[in-house]
Amino acid sequence: DQQVKQNSPSLSVQEGRISILNCDYTNSMFDYFLWYKKYPAEGPTFLISISSIKDKNEDGRFTVFLNKSAKHLSLHIVPSQPGDSAVYFCAATGSGGSNYKLTFGKGTLLTVNP
Amino acid sequence: GAVVSQHPSWVICKSGTSVKIECRSLDFQATTMFWYRQFPKQSLMLMATSNEGSKATYEQGVEKDKFLINHASLTLSTLTVTSAHPEDSSFYICSATSSGLDPDTQYFGPGTRLTVL
């Protein structure tokens, strides 16, 4: 049973436009969500996170929105740059859970075209 | 801050041999370290969780006798793939958290590509 779902395996956008990456979750115990960016043959890099007590968190070009009632979150990248091309993983965890284990989605490959 | 390193970055070995991968937190003390593997175009799969000085907790389906994890200090964890076989070929990634940092955020190493011939 996949508790964190990224239903779009890939997304292609033009440089300068907005990239919107979506993530859905099923486990209502999740209360902390993270986005990671990953290049091939490298480890994931932490991008941005959001706690369930918030519905928005912004850091530069990256904004994460959380809709708890819909169990949905999204990552917005504005403006998109070619260097943003990578696989983006959504991850979730529940506070107080065993050693803060993260549950990952399968990732979305973002391609930003010049 | 929050830098995690792995060594080696790439290793090729013969079937039946053992391979050790090191994971180090360079600028913080890692309360907990995690080991993942990733197959091509797949998500990260958690293998085990380890706390310094105690035995690792393995995820269901992961053979603890095959994937030996040692977390001897607050900055070092090792994963040893024993009697490696071609199906063990994968990308192994470690991560670490710290009570001194945000404990919900894991910081990842660069990964180790293992190829078993």
Side-chain angles (χ1 to χ4, degrees):
Chain A
D1 178 33
Q2 203 178 340
Q3 299 186 61
V4 177
K5 301 177 185 178
Q6 292 177 258
N7 292 319
S8 297
S10 63
L11 174 68
S12 183
V13 299
Q14 283 299 120
E15 180 178 7
R17 305 294 291 269
I18 184 171
S19 295
I20 300 176
L21 298 135
N22 294 303
C23 178
D24 297 293
Y25 62 96
T26 57
N27 190 335
S28 58
M29 297 301 291
F30 289 148
D31 61 4
Y32 193 76
F33 306 89
L34 309 92
W35 284 94
Y36 286 86
K37 173 182 179 181
K38 186 180 181 302
Y39 294 113
E42 292 186 13
T45 302
F46 170 70
L47 271 178
I48 193 169
S49 62
I50 188 167
S51 165
S52 61
I53 62 173
K54 294 184 175 182
D55 54 18
K56 177 183 175 181
N57 188 25
E58 192 172 353
D59 184 2
R61 295 187 298 115
F62 302 92
T63 303
V64 56
F65 295 92
L66 175 63
N67 182 333
K68 289 187 290 296
S69 60
K71 293 191 175 67
H72 175 83
L73 63 154
S74 60
L75 174 68
H76 292 211
I77 306 174
V78 181
S80 301
Q81 299 172 355
D84 295 329
S85 298
V87 176
Y88 288 79
F89 287 98
C90 169
T93 186
S95 60
S98 176
N99 292 304
Y100 303 100
K101 282 197 292 189
L102 291 177
T103 301
F104 285 88
K106 289 190 174 181
T108 297
L109 173 62
L110 173 65
T111 303
V112 180
N113 301 303
Chain B
V3 179
V4 177
S5 71
Q6 277 183 247
H7 177 81
S9 57
W10 183 44
V11 58
I12 301 175
C13 69
K14 292 182 179 179
S15 186
T17 61
S18 294
V19 174
K20 180 185 282 188
I21 303 170
E22 292 187 349
C23 176
R24 293 181 185 272
S25 57
L26 298 185
D27 52 0
F28 67 100
Q29 292 188 324
T31 314
T32 304
M33 285 186 164
F34 303 82
W35 285 95
Y36 295 83
R37 66 186 295 184
Q38 185 186 27
F39 293 103
K41 299 185 180 180
Q42 298 281 328
S43 183
L44 295 159
M45 186 192 83
L46 179 64
M47 298 174 67
T49 303
S50 73
N51 293 295
E52 182 263 340
S54 58
K55 288 185 179 180
T57 302
Y58 289 81
E59 295 299 299
Q60 194 171 12
V62 178
E63 300 174 61
K64 60 182 179 182
D65 294 330
K66 181 168 186 60
F67 299 99
L68 301 179
I69 292 172
N70 184 286
H71 192 164
S73 77
L74 283 172
T75 59
L76 173 65
S77 176
T78 61
L79 167 67
T80 301
V81 183
T82 62
S83 186
H85 291 284
E87 58 266 29
D88 299 324
S89 298
S90 190
F91 192 57
Y92 292 87
I93 310 173
C94 72
S95 70
T97 60
S98 171
S99 57
L101 302 170
D102 176 2
D104 289 321
T105 300
Q106 293 181 22
Y107 297 93
F108 286 83
T112 297
R113 169 72 60 192
L114 170 64
T115 301
V116 184
L117 302 176

